[in-house]
């Protein structure tokens, strides 16, 4: 999910950057805030952003001229509130004795709602004497485009106007090179003793045992006057909106021991945090901070992970992407008619074409995944009305696969970027060094990635099934096309001496014989023969791939293996989940339960919030997994991974077109003795399922079932 302007090759290169792993994130719709553990914004990789523009780049609180001592901080489990608890250092004398350290409790409580940051600063005097409290905010707004914040050089910028201020508010303004004026306003509930364009100073007299509150708001327009009522009303609205998003779809609950349930709750809350309700329906944005925007591939895979529990995400993703399907050929945008979007951005640099990501199509796999998800959605929901509305888009997508995706006219989907500004690699492993030959050479293009052929296979199969369900022509031709792709992959990518598939074919048709996790995605699509799937699974479960915390992206011993790299030996939870679901497709449920247990153990060390990726070092007894320092946190397909793995482990398959829920040989992960799935919607009906460990076997029973829904339990 990287792009040409943010490629990271090793964690070591970025470990001395700006401590991104320490940032705390809040998000609502297209507005997000990342701050340090004190709640401060210091002009690094942090800030308050709206529509890919930084509206507030500096916002630092000092008490008596010093940063307070931090007690604790964090984000609430529902992801609505950030809170930081601090205490004062010794205060300077104010007409008498100075106050000692540790007598003031300073709480900062913050949330984002309706394109605004709301914050309450509460000061409570726990000392035995009255205190005069001098405190101040230093602030600023640079209106940097998100790509600037990420390090992209700009030779020229627009003009920042001098800040203006009145008694309790400061207004910042910037006119960009796109001739758009961007404004942000910072307002306080109490008038400062002194205020300027960069600093507000306050002096509160605080009797012993008493407290005082200051309310702050910042947003991309004229400020309202902050007060307690506005803070409370908007906080309630923000929390209710998050609750609605979290409660969509079915529920999964584990045993009475709360730890596993806390992981499920945190993961569900992270998906809800990243999901924005667009006019086309809910869409999971990829991740905070760098990818808080619709991505095609990430949205599709996250929706697929959640599909069995909450199909509304898939419908929202499909509908949104259909409306942004390409209609023209553009080398700069890597677009061609029928292609599905990779990424969209709203900042100044995208509007000016300084970067191609305003509406960018440089993902070779997204179009195939779009079609395949449509097939999975129809099977899961029976919603043929939506599929019929999308049918012209699906036809256009398959036309792209034939006319533009098959660059070499050899029956395989391949890529070669259209302009130097685009992505050099256009699969999910899109960093510069992720695709290579066994000796480390980079392949010449066009490149045909292994997993993309699996997605194409799934897409052709989906079109065949959908045509049959809709009574449209083409069923036989699309089914035949799927089998042709299967034959090509088995013939050209399989390496008998390795018992594995090559990661790619280069422009000469030579196999890139690197041993990588991409083969796990091929299993997910069901393309390999059972015998080859067994051999791939065995290798993916070997110590070459398994770190003890999940599956590495690259096997140890490969030319570019580096456990600290972005794609060449790290562990990505969604990648492990895709491989696990693929194994389950071939009956390997115990392997899935094993991997689920490993990912759960990793999550426990990351405060139950899985990052985008972490380092692929071998697990050592008593030690935690090693963090990748600039991983997105939270990240949508990392949060969704647990739900895909649970579905695979439990063997739950839903066919709403036939009104059937099948549970095939379920297996619970070690240490989880029971699990309940409630509110699975099947058409107009619903099903509740319960799973319990009984000796060496997992037993599934139906707790509730609507008429017209059949439940089949196998094994």
């Amino acid at each position: 999910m990287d792009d040409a302007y943010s490629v990271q090759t090793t964690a070591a290169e970025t470990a001395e950057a700006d401590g991104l792993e320490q940032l705390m994130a809040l998000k609502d719709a297209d507005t997000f805030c990342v701050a340090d553990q004190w709640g401060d914004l210091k002009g690094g990789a942090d800030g308050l952003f709206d529509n890919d523009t930084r509206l507030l780049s500096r916002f630092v609180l000092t008490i008596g001229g010093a940063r307070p001592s931090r007690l604790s901080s964090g984000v609430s489990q529902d992801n609505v509130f950030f809170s930081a608890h601090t205490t004062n250092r010794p205060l300077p004398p104010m007409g008498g004795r100075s106050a000692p350290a540790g007598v003031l409790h300073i709480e900062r409580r913050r949330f984002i709602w309706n394109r605004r940051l709301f914050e309450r600063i509460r000061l409570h005097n726990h000392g035995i004497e009255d205190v005069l409290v001098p405190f101040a905010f230093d602030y600023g707004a640079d209106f940097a485009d998100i790509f600037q914040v990420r390090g992209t050089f700009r030779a020229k910028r627009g003009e920042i106007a001098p800040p203006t201020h009145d008694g309790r508010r400061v207004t910042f303004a910037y006119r960009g090179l796109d001739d758009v004026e961007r404004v942000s306003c910072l307002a306080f509930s109490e008038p400062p003793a002194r205020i300027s364009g960069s600093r507000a100073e306050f002096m509160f007299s605080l009797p012993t045992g008493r407290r005082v509150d200051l309310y702050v708001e910042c947003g991309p327009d004229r400020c309202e006057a902050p007060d307690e009522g506005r803070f409370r009303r908007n906080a309630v609205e923000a929390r209710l909106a998050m609750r609605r998003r979290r409660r969509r779809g079915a529920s999964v609950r584990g045993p009475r021991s709360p730890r596993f349930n806390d992981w499920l709750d945190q993961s569900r809350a992270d998906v809800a945090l990243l999901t924005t309700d667009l006019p086309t329906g809910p869409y999971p944005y990829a991740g905070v901070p760098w990818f808080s925007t619709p991505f095609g591939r990430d949205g599709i895979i996250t929706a697929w992970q959640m599909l069995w529990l909450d199909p509304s995400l898939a419908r929202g993703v499909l509908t949104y992407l259909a409306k942004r399907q390409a209609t023209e050929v553009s080398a700069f945008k890597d677009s061609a008619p029928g292609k599905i979007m990779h990424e969209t951005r709203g900042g100044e640099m995208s509007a000016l074409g300084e970067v191609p990501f305003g509406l960018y199509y440089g993902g070779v796999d997204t179009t195939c995944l779009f079609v395949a998800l449509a097939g999975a959605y129809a099977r899961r929901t029976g919603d043929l009305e939506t599929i019929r509305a999308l049918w012209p888009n699906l036809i256009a997508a398959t036309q792209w696969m034939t006319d533009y995706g098959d660059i070499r006219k050899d029956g395989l989907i391949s890529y070669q970027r259209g302009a130097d500004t685009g992505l050099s690699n256009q699969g999910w492993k899109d960093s510069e060094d992720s695709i290579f030959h066994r000796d480390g050479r980079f392949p010449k293009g066009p490149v045909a990635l292994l997993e993309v052929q699996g997605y194409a296979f799934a897409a052709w199969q989906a079109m065949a099934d959908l045509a049959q369900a809709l009574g449209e022509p083409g069923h036989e031709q699309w089914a035949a096309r799927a089998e042709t792709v299967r034959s090509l992959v088995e013939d050209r990518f399989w390496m008998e001496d390795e018992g594995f598939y090559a990661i790619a074919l280069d422009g000469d048709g030579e196999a890139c014989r690197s041993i990588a996790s991409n083969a796990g995605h091929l299993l997910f699509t069901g393309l390999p023969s059972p015998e080859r799937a067994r051999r791939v699974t065995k290798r993916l479960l070997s110590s070459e791939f398994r770190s003890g915390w999940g599956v590495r992206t690259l096997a140890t011993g490969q030319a570019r293996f580096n456990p600290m790299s972005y794609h060449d030996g790290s562990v990505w939870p969604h990648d492990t989940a895709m491989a696990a679901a693929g194994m389950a497709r071939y009956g390997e449920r115990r392997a899935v339960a094993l991997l689920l247990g490993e990912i759960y153990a990793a999550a426990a060390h990351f405060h139950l919030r899985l990052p985008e990726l972490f380092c692929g070092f071998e697990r050592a007894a008593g030690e935690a997994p090693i963090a990748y320092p600039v991983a997105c946190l939270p990240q949508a397909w990392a949060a969704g991974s647990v739900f895909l793995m649970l579905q695979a482990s439990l063997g739950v398959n839903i066919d709403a077109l036939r009104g059937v829920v099948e549970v095939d040989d379920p297996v619970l992960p070690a240490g989880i003795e029971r699990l309940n799935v409630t509110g699975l919607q099947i058409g107009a009906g619903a099903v509740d399922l319960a799973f319990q460990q009984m000796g060496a076997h997992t037993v599934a029973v139906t707790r509730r079932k609507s008429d017209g829904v059949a439940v089949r339990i196998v094994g």
Side-chain angles (χ1 to χ4, degrees), residues 436-452:
F436 53 90
H437 284 281
R438 170 171 283 177
D439 59 6
R441 287 179 295 121
F442 295 135
K444 61 178 289 188
V447 174
L449 289 171
L450 172 66
E451 76 276 13
V452 175

Side-chain angles (χ1 to χ4, degrees), residues 539-595:
R539 196 155 185 186
L540 286 172
L541 292 173
S542 74
S543 59
E544 282 182 285
F545 278 104
R546 272 183 59 220
S547 67
W549 304 112
V551 175
R552 298 184 182 97
T553 49
L554 188 68
T556 57
Q558 298 300 297
R560 294 183 176 273
F561 175 79
N562 180 350
M564 300 177 290
S565 69
Y566 197 57
H567 287 129
D568 294 335
S570 54
V571 174
W572 288 61
H574 94 278
D575 186 43
T576 295
M578 296 284 278
M583 295 174 194
R585 186 161 188 157
Y586 292 88
E588 294 285 350
R589 304 226 184 277
R590 298 196 180 278
V592 177
L594 174 69
L595 291 173

Side-chain angles (χ1 to χ4, degrees), residues 5 11 26 61 65 67 103 126 162 165 225 276 284 290 395 416 429 441 460 490 495 514 519 524 663:
Y5 296 88
L26 296 174
L61 170 66
R67 186 179 223 193
V103 299
H126 291 279
H165 57 86
T276 297
W290 305 127
I395 294 293
Q416 188 163 14
K429 295 179 180 177
R441 287 179 295 121
W460 294 123
E490 296 284 46
M495 302 179 292
S514 300
F524 177 78
V663 181

Side-chain angles (χ1 to χ4, degrees), residues 2-5 147 294-297 321 324 326 330-336 339-345 350 355-364 366 415-426 430:
D2 213 357
D3 58 44
Y5 296 88
F147 286 99
F295 273 75
R297 177 192 304 121
L321 293 176
R324 283 152 184 80
S330 168
F332 181 66
K333 294 182 177 181
D334 267 314
S335 69
K339 199 174 186 183
I340 296 298
M341 178 198 87
H342 170 68
E343 174 181 0
T344 184
R345 294 287 185 173
S350 297
V355 294
F357 304 109
L359 194 54
Y360 180 61
Y361 293 85
V364 69
T366 311
Y415 67 89
Q416 188 163 14
R417 66 178 174 184
D420 289 343
T421 52
L423 297 173
S424 55
N425 285 317
Q426 298 193 352
D430 54 8

Side-chain angles (χ1 to χ4, degrees), residues 256-322:
R256 292 181 182 177
S257 173
R259 194 69 171 164
F260 190 75
N261 283 337
D262 286 347
W263 182 34
L264 296 177
D265 289 343
Q266 184 67 67
S267 299
R268 200 68 180 261
D270 285 349
V271 173
L273 173 71
L274 293 167
T275 297
T276 297
D277 290 320
L278 301 172
T280 48
Y283 200 107
Y285 285 12
V288 175
W290 305 127
F291 306 114
S292 187
T293 189
F295 273 75
R297 177 192 304 121
D298 298 69
I300 289 170
I301 289 179
T302 303
W304 209 322
Q305 291 171 332
M306 303 299 297
L307 180 60
W308 70 296
L309 297 173
D310 181 12
S312 70
L313 280 184
R315 187 180 187 279
V317 167
L318 290 167
T319 305
Y320 178 90
L321 293 176

Side-chain angles (χ1 to χ4, degrees), residues 633-708:
L633 189 69
Q635 208 245 12
W637 65 16
S641 295
V642 57
F643 302 108
L644 180 61
M645 296 181 80
L646 271 177
Q647 180 187 16
S649 181
L650 298 176
V652 175
N653 293 291
I654 301 168
D655 187 344
L657 290 170
R658 297 188 298 123
V660 174
V661 178
E662 184 177 89
V663 181
D664 184 3
D665 191 23
V667 177
L668 287 170
I672 306 301
E673 295 183 353
R674 58 175 102 29
L675 200 70
N676 294 319
V677 181
T678 57
L680 275 175
Q681 293 294 316
I682 317 297
V687 170
D688 295 347
L689 300 171
F691 301 84
Q692 183 157 350
Q693 192 68 26
M694 303 288 287
H697 301 284
T698 298
V699 176
V701 296
T702 304
R703 294 292 191 201
R704 177 176 67 95
K705 181 177 71 68
S706 301
D707 293 339

Side-chain angles (χ1 to χ4, degrees), residues 167-309:
R168 63 179 70 186
R169 61 174 59 85
V170 184
T171 301
F172 309 95
Y174 167 75
R175 183 168 292 278
L177 297 179
D178 56 356
D179 204 34
V180 173
E181 184 177 40
R182 294 169 172 86
V183 174
S184 66
C185 182
L186 178 66
F188 303 97
S189 60
E190 299 293 332
R194 295 186 183 89
I195 188 169
S196 71
S198 61
R199 183 176 173 87
E201 298 177 359
F202 297 83
M203 180 71 71
F204 284 162
S205 177
L206 195 56
T208 180
R210 300 292 295 275
R211 74 185 190 197
V212 64
D213 293 338
L214 177 72
Y215 295 92
V216 181
E217 292 184 21
C218 184
D221 49 26
R222 195 180 77 81
C223 296
E224 300 291 337
D227 59 30
E228 180 181 8
R230 282 180 56 80
F231 185 88
R232 287 181 177 274
R233 287 192 302 274
N234 284 279
V236 168
E237 290 186 34
R239 177 153 267 173
L240 289 175
M242 179 64 75
R243 185 178 299 172
R244 287 191 295 271
R245 291 198 295 271
R246 291 180 66 191
R247 291 182 175 179
R248 285 176 178 146
S251 170
V252 183
R253 303 299 294 168
R256 292 181 182 177
S257 173
R259 194 69 171 164
F260 190 75
N261 283 337
D262 286 347
W263 182 34
L264 296 177
D265 289 343
Q266 184 67 67
S267 299
R268 200 68 180 261
D270 285 349
V271 173
L273 173 71
L274 293 167
T275 297
T276 297
D277 290 320
L278 301 172
T280 48
Y283 200 107
Y285 285 12
V288 175
W290 305 127
F291 306 114
S292 187
T293 189
F295 273 75
R297 177 192 304 121
D298 298 69
I300 289 170
I301 289 179
T302 303
W304 209 322
Q305 291 171 332
M306 303 299 297
L307 180 60
W308 70 296
L309 297 173

